[in-house]
Amino acid sequence: MNKLPEKTIGRLSEYRRTLLNCLASGKTHIYSHELANLHNITAVQVRRDIMLIGYSTTLKKGYDVKALIDVIGGIIDTKEGLNAAVVGIGNLGKAITAYFNGKRSKLLIKATFDVNPEKINRVISGVKCYAMADLEKVVKDLDISIGILTVPPEEAARVTERLIMSGIKGILNYTSTPLNVSPGVYLEEYDMITSIEKVAYFVKQRKTES
Amino acid sequence: MNKLPEKTIGRLSEYRRTLLNCLASGKTHIYSHELANLHNITAVQVRRDIMLIGYSTTLKKGYDVKALIDVIGGIIDTKEGLNAAVVGIGNLGKAITAYFNGKRSKLLIKATFDVNPEKINRVISGVKCYAMADLEKVVKDLDISIGILTVPPEEAARVTERLIMSGIKGILNYTSTPLNVSPGVYLEEYDMITSIEKVAYFVKQRKTES
DNA sequence: TTTGTAGTGTTAATTAATTAACAATGTTTA
DNA sequence: TAAACATTGTTAATTAATTAACACTACAAA
């Protein structure tokens, strides 16, 4: 089960969400082509991804929704769960915290950090906000292993350094500053401007080609 | 210049931001390996991307920052510019609007939409908020061609339909509902939970392999 | 039963993306 | 000036990701 393609991991996460919705609406089995349609991909890709994680069904009534959720959970989740922290609790930080917490049982945002004294020690979006100055201590005390960066771009590098020194193992960078991290740390970056510009480029293409 | 790889488009957008920073700090030329280091990729990839867009330099002093910015602009931007709208002005919508506007001259968020009467007709994050009910009219009046979705997941499909009917050509979907759109419309989807779960998976890998 | 159908699992082929290799050419240094 | 060097541009090789092809089998219908 080692070495799943990165893209597959992303899709598994998406499948699971869809499967959880199915479960909630009482659907117990789902065909590969149904799952595919819901995600705008092909049934082959769904089957291939599911093959890679070692799940299979003897029935021809589609996959057992509950079983598949559990298998995906076995891949993505850890038994004990992982804790995350959001650093910088502006609009984006708040959006992420509020949106995420409670959605996954094995992954929790346990703390937020900010420099603004008015925010410190308050509960924001359901999570306590700590002083940036206490970052190292809180990360260790609460056993946080994932950092989500929503600070201003000029602080990203410094904060990252501190997070890594505190023992964090994964970083999700929403600032516009590209980061580099030591080899033991996994880094995922996302920038909204790039996404919007990509859309703009393809919109332009459509306009000019017609 | 037709048919640039999708990944290349994303990187060009990122290069441009870095180049703009260089320009602001008075740097006039930049080597491929410098640009590469700033983005944690290889110099070959930078050179290849730049080759694909048809820019080249005779000097061995690196690329001319200003010229390269212009070439990338020629690829991504349209002459007249494009307008965008943010649908659903909660925390995430506000974050995007505030973060984005003013950053790019050829791409503007011209309107936001919401159902909350308290928000309607107010200026939020620097942009006027319109009633969801007026979506079709406003999109046409303001010549908006890109829609950014930050509504609750259960409304995503309906809003998308309305946006497309109004003539929108590109959609950036931040809701957790996967969408499908007609062939003439470009769709880019991003989901935070997937990103966090991906990070969690790789953190887990690091933990168990050591 | 038997036959046809619709679905899964998997290998092989294709396509997309990255990386390596290296020729060409300014630039610097002896 | 000549030699060594650093840097670009580009083709070729490699690797990653997707898609096609198809064998296999449970199920439904005749």
Side-chain angles (χ1 to χ4, degrees):
Chain A
M1 187 125 357
N2 256 341
K3 288 295 144 209
L4 290 170
E6 190 164 333
K7 290 281 182 73
T8 295
I9 300 299
R11 284 191 299 263
L12 288 173
S13 163
E14 283 157 14
Y15 298 158
R16 177 161 70 169
R17 192 194 11 255
T18 299
L19 293 168
L20 288 166
N21 289 339
C22 289
L23 202 64
S25 66
K27 193 171 169 64
T28 60
H29 290 77
I30 189 166
Y31 294 121
S32 59
H33 64 260
E34 290 179 295
L35 201 43
N37 284 340
L38 290 169
H39 291 272
N40 296 308
I41 57 176
T42 67
V44 183
Q45 182 131 75
V46 169
R47 294 206 300 275
R48 205 170 195 297
D49 285 337
I50 288 174
M51 181 197 85
L52 290 174
I53 62 175
Y55 174 79
S56 77
T57 174
T58 51
L59 283 351
K60 301 282 160 174
K61 286 291 176 185
Y63 302 109
D64 182 307
V65 173
K66 201 166 168 350
L68 191 46
I69 289 171
D70 289 345
V71 175
I72 295 176
I75 305 283
I76 294 176
D77 297 333
T78 57
K79 217 184 230 163
E80 330 76 46
L82 289 177
N83 299 324
V86 171
V87 188
I89 191 79
N91 279 320
L92 183 56
K94 278 190 246 173
I96 294 171
T97 309
Y99 175 54
F100 186 77
N101 252 4
K103 289 256 176 35
R104 293 293 174 272
S105 56
K106 294 297 184 184
L107 210 41
L108 281 175
I109 296 175
K110 279 283 189 77
T112 68
F113 294 94
D114 208 288
V115 287
N116 184 340
E118 295 194 4
K119 292 177 178 169
I120 294 166
N121 286 321
R122 281 187 45 210
V123 171
I124 301 176
S125 298
V127 179
K128 183 170 174 188
C129 180
Y130 295 87
M132 202 66 140
D134 299 333
L135 189 136
E136 286 81 0
K137 179 172 169 21
V138 176
V139 165
K140 282 173 192 159
D141 286 355
L142 300 182
D143 188 29
I144 289 168
S145 52
I146 295 173
I148 301 169
L149 250 68
T150 54
V151 298
E154 59 275 15
E155 304 193 11
R158 179 75 190 106
V159 169
T160 301
E161 214 178 296
R162 290 178 63 191
L163 283 170
I164 293 176
M165 290 304 288
S166 315
I168 268 206
K169 289 287 173 273
I171 289 180
L172 182 43
N173 177 24
Y174 284 112
T175 78
S176 57
T177 310
L179 300 174
N180 47 8
V181 300
S182 33
V185 178
Y186 180 79
L187 172 67
E188 167 105 1
E189 314 211 53
Y190 179 76
D191 180 60
M192 287 167 179
I193 292 187
T194 296
S195 281
I196 301 179
E197 292 195 332
K198 238 168 103 175
V199 174
Y201 169 80
F202 286 104
V203 167
K204 177 186 178 183
Q205 293 296 96
R206 309 269 151 115
K207 283 197 167 181
T208 53
E209 88 191 3
S210 59
Chain B
M1 190 124 356
N2 256 339
K3 289 293 147 212
L4 290 169
E6 191 164 333
K7 289 282 182 72
T8 295
I9 299 300
R11 284 191 298 262
L12 288 173
S13 163
E14 284 158 13
Y15 298 158
R16 177 161 70 169
R17 189 190 19 250
T18 300
L19 293 167
L20 288 166
N21 288 340
C22 289
L23 202 63
S25 67
K27 195 171 168 63
T28 61
H29 290 78
I30 190 167
Y31 294 120
S32 59
H33 64 260
E34 289 179 297
L35 202 43
N37 284 340
L38 290 169
H39 292 272
N40 295 309
I41 58 177
T42 67
V44 183
Q45 182 131 74
V46 170
R47 293 206 300 274
R48 205 169 196 297
D49 286 336
I50 288 174
M51 181 197 85
L52 290 174
I53 63 176
Y55 175 78
S56 76
T57 175
T58 51
L59 283 351
K60 302 281 161 172
K61 286 289 178 186
Y63 302 107
D64 182 305
V65 173
K66 202 167 165 351
L68 190 47
I69 289 171
D70 290 345
V71 175
I72 295 177
I75 306 282
I76 295 177
D77 297 334
T78 58
K79 218 184 232 162
E80 330 77 46
L82 290 177
N83 298 324
V86 171
V87 189
I89 190 78
N91 279 321
L92 183 56
K94 278 189 246 174
I96 294 171
T97 309
Y99 175 54
F100 187 76
N101 252 4
K103 289 257 176 34
R104 292 292 174 274
S105 55
K106 295 296 183 184
L107 209 41
L108 281 174
I109 296 175
K110 279 283 190 77
T112 67
F113 294 94
D114 208 288
V115 287
N116 184 340
E118 295 193 5
K119 292 177 178 168
I120 294 166
N121 286 322
R122 280 186 47 209
V123 171
I124 302 175
S125 299
V127 179
K128 183 169 173 188
C129 179
Y130 295 88
M132 201 66 140
D134 298 334
L135 188 135
E136 286 81 359
K137 179 173 170 16
V138 176
V139 165
K140 282 173 192 159
D141 286 356
L142 300 182
D143 187 31
I144 290 168
S145 52
I146 295 173
I148 301 169
L149 251 68
T150 54
V151 299
E154 58 275 15
E155 303 193 11
R158 179 77 189 106
V159 169
T160 301
E161 215 177 296
R162 291 178 63 192
L163 284 170
I164 293 177
M165 291 304 287
S166 315
I168 269 207
K169 288 288 173 273
I171 290 180
L172 182 43
N173 177 24
Y174 284 111
T175 78
S176 57
T177 308
L179 299 174
N180 47 9
V181 300
S182 33
V185 177
Y186 180 80
L187 173 66
E188 167 106 1
E189 314 211 51
Y190 180 77
D191 180 62
M192 286 167 180
I193 292 187
T194 297
S195 281
I196 302 180
E197 293 196 331
K198 238 168 101 176
V199 174
Y201 169 80
F202 286 104
V203 167
K204 176 187 178 184
Q205 293 296 96
R206 308 270 152 114
K207 282 196 168 182
T208 52
E209 87 193 4
S210 58

